[in-house]
Amino acid sequence: MTLEDDLRATLARAATHAPPAPPGLLDGVARRRRRRARSRLLASAAAVVLVATGTVLAVRHEQPEPVVVTPPPPAITEEQVAGSPPVEEVWPGAVQIAPASLENGKRLRPLLIADDHTTLLTTWSSHERAGAVYAYDQRTRELRQVTLVPSRKGEIADGFVVAGDRLVWHVKTDTSATLWRAPLAGGTAERLPGTLPHVPWATDLVGDRLVYSAGDTGVFSVPVTGGPPTPVPGGEGLHLLEWPWAGDPHLPADGEKDVRFRRLVNLETGEVRHAALTPGDRHVVCGVTTCSGQHADGTSFARARDGSGEREVPFAPQGLAADRFMAVTVTGRDEAEQYVVDVVTGRSGSLELNVTLDGGERSYTTMGLTADDRDMLSAHRTGDDTLVFIDLRRITSGP
C-alpha cells in the first residue's frame, strides 16, 4: 500500500467519526461569503485558528486614520519682519562680508561668491564697465587682484562664472560677444576662440559648457574653452531661468497678462510645467517651484506653482529670488531698513543698511530682487562701507 492509500484510508475513518453538520451550515457559509466585503470595512485583519476541540475566531479592529488638514502658513507682515537680527546671524554659514573700497578709496562692486571663503569683487573703469577683478579671503581678510578686464569703448564685461580654477566671462556689444578667461590664482586675461553672434543673458555653467539665453532667439550652449555656440534642442524662443528649466518670461494665458514663466520646459527631459492661477491674479512672477503676485483684492501672495501652500506676504513685484527670498523695506519716521525674508521658513534678516532719514526724505539704495536671481544677493552697507553677500544656494541646500 502506498502513502497515498494510507492517507485516503485515514481520512475516510475520520469522516465516519465526525459529528453531523449543524442544520443550515451550508446556507451560513454562503451568507458569510456575501458579507465578506462588508466585514473588511470593519476589520483590517482576521486570524482564524482551528484546534481539536473547536474553532476560535480572533479579530483585530483598527481605527480609521484621521484626516489631517494642514492650515495655510501664517502671513508674513512688515511688522513681523521689522527688527530682525542681521543676516549674518540668521544665516551664518551663507553670508560673507567684504570691503566696499580699496585703500586708495576706489569703490569695489560685488561680483560673485567663488567658494566658502573667497569673495570676488570688481572695480569700474567707467559706468558699469569692469576694470579689474579682486578676490577677498574671508579667513585672512586679505584683498588681492585677480586680473584686469580688457574692454573697449561700448563693450561691457558680464556673465562671470567660476569654472574650476578659472574665471570665465563674456565681453558684449549691442549685437555680439566674445568669451574671456583668467586664472583665479591671478594672471592675465585671455580671449577664447570664437564669437557669439548674439548677446548672452542668464548664463549657467553646465559641465564643461556655458548655457545662456539670447534674447527672444532661444537657449544656446558653448564650450567653456570657446568655440561656436549651438542651439539647445527645445529651447527655441525660450528664456533660461535655471538649468535645465526655461520658459517664456512674458506669456499671457487664459486672459491673464504678464505672467512671467507660467510655462516652463525642462530642456533635458522635455517635461512641461504650467503654474496654477486663480481668477483676478495679477503681477504674477513664477520661478521653478513657486509663484508670487497679487490677488484681485490687492493682497500679495507666495505659493507653490501648483497653487498649494499659499502664504500672504508683502508685495514682491519682480518675483522671488531662488524661489523663496524677497526683500522688504520698512520705512519709519527717522530710519529705513531693508530685510531679506525667506517665505518658506518665515525667517528674516536685516541687511543693516544704516539709513537715517533725519525726519525727512533721503536718497538711498536698496537691493532689488528678481526671479532671475538664483545664486547670490548683495548690498552695500554705507555705515561701515562694507559689502554683504548672501549665498542663496547654501541656504536652500542646507539643513
Side-chain angles (χ1 to χ4, degrees):
M1 182 177 292
T2 66
L3 178 61
E4 293 178 352
D5 294 333
D6 287 339
L7 180 58
R8 190 177 296 109
T10 300
L11 294 175
R13 285 194 301 272
T16 61
H17 296 289
L25 174 62
L26 296 180
D27 292 337
V29 170
R31 285 195 299 272
R32 291 189 189 97
R33 184 173 300 166
R34 288 192 296 271
R35 291 198 303 265
R36 188 172 300 160
R38 294 196 301 271
S39 299
R40 285 174 180 156
L41 298 176
L42 301 176
S44 62
V48 179
V49 183
L50 298 177
V51 295
T53 58
T55 302
V56 177
L57 179 63
V59 180
R60 184 179 77 247
H61 293 279
E62 288 188 356
Q63 295 294 329
E65 297 238 352
V67 177
V68 179
V69 178
T70 304
I76 296 174
T77 65
E78 291 187 3
E79 290 75 17
Q80 294 170 337
V81 170
S84 297
V87 289
E88 56 265 41
E89 295 181 13
V90 180
W91 300 289
V95 176
Q96 296 184 8
I97 309 295
S101 59
L102 298 173
E103 291 183 356
N104 61 9
K106 193 174 184 64
R107 183 175 174 183
L108 290 167
R109 315 279 177 163
L111 186 59
L112 55 85
I113 297 174
D115 53 42
D116 60 0
H117 59 82
T118 307
T119 315
L120 297 185
L121 313 103
T122 66
T123 55
W124 284 1
S125 57
S126 61
H127 182 64
E128 294 188 346
R129 288 183 60 198
V133 176
Y134 289 82
Y136 182 72
D137 192 314
Q138 296 289 324
R139 301 166 302 182
T140 64
R141 301 292 188 263
E142 293 181 351
L143 186 69
R144 61 178 177 83
Q145 181 176 291
V146 175
T147 191
L148 296 175
V149 180
S151 64
R152 296 171 295 185
K153 185 177 181 180
E155 295 180 335
I156 296 177
D158 199 3
F160 290 84
V161 298
V162 174
D165 61 353
R166 302 278 173 169
L167 182 65
V168 180
W169 67 95
H170 63 261
V171 175
K172 61 184 180 182
T173 65
D174 292 337
T175 58
S176 63
T178 56
L179 292 178
W180 292 74
R181 72 178 179 186
L184 275 175
T188 303
E190 61 173 326
R191 178 178 170 174
L192 298 176
T195 298
L196 307 182
H198 25 57
V199 179
W201 189 27
T203 303
D204 263 357
L205 177 66
V206 182
D208 59 355
R209 299 185 70 86
L210 294 172
V211 181
Y212 62 91
S213 300
D216 297 331
T217 307
V219 181
F220 294 79
S221 75
V222 62
V224 75
T225 53
T230 57
V232 174
E236 297 83 1
L238 300 182
H239 173 82
L240 183 66
L241 178 60
E242 180 180 357
W243 181 260
W245 295 101
D248 191 329
H250 298 286
L251 180 63
D254 297 337
E256 302 297 336
K257 296 181 179 180
D258 295 334
V259 179
R260 295 197 64 205
F261 297 113
R262 183 179 185 186
R263 180 178 70 97
L264 286 181
V265 180
N266 187 315
L267 297 180
E268 288 183 324
T269 66
E271 177 190 354
V272 178
R273 293 181 181 176
H274 292 272
L277 292 177
T278 54
D281 286 350
R282 57 189 182 182
H283 308 299
V284 179
V285 182
C286 296
V288 176
T289 61
T290 60
C291 295
S292 64
Q294 280 187 331
H295 290 304
D297 63 2
T299 59
S300 300
F301 64 82
R303 66 190 179 208
R305 283 183 67 93
D306 63 5
S308 63
E310 181 170 301
R311 185 174 210 168
E312 184 178 341
V313 299
F315 186 38
Q318 300 299 325
L320 302 174
D323 281 12
R324 57 191 278 186
F325 298 96
M326 64 184 305
V328 175
T329 301
V330 179
T331 304
R333 178 181 176 84
D334 300 319
E335 62 181 7
E337 187 55 79
Q338 192 173 38
Y339 300 87
V340 176
V341 182
D342 184 344
V343 302
V344 172
T345 65
R347 303 179 72 189
S348 59
S350 168
L351 289 173
E352 300 294 287
L353 299 182
N354 298 319
V355 178
T356 302
L357 301 180
D358 296 327
E361 294 185 358
R362 174 181 166 186
S363 176
Y364 59 93
T365 301
T366 58
M367 179 175 58
L369 276 63
T370 74
D372 294 293
D373 294 320
R374 313 301 299 179
D375 303 317
M376 181 200 77
L377 302 176
S378 63
H380 180 206
R381 290 177 170 171
T382 57
D384 56 8
D385 197 32
T386 58
L387 296 170
V388 55
F389 294 73
I390 305 174
D391 189 340
L392 301 181
R393 292 193 183 275
R394 182 168 288 253
I395 299 175
T396 57
S397 64

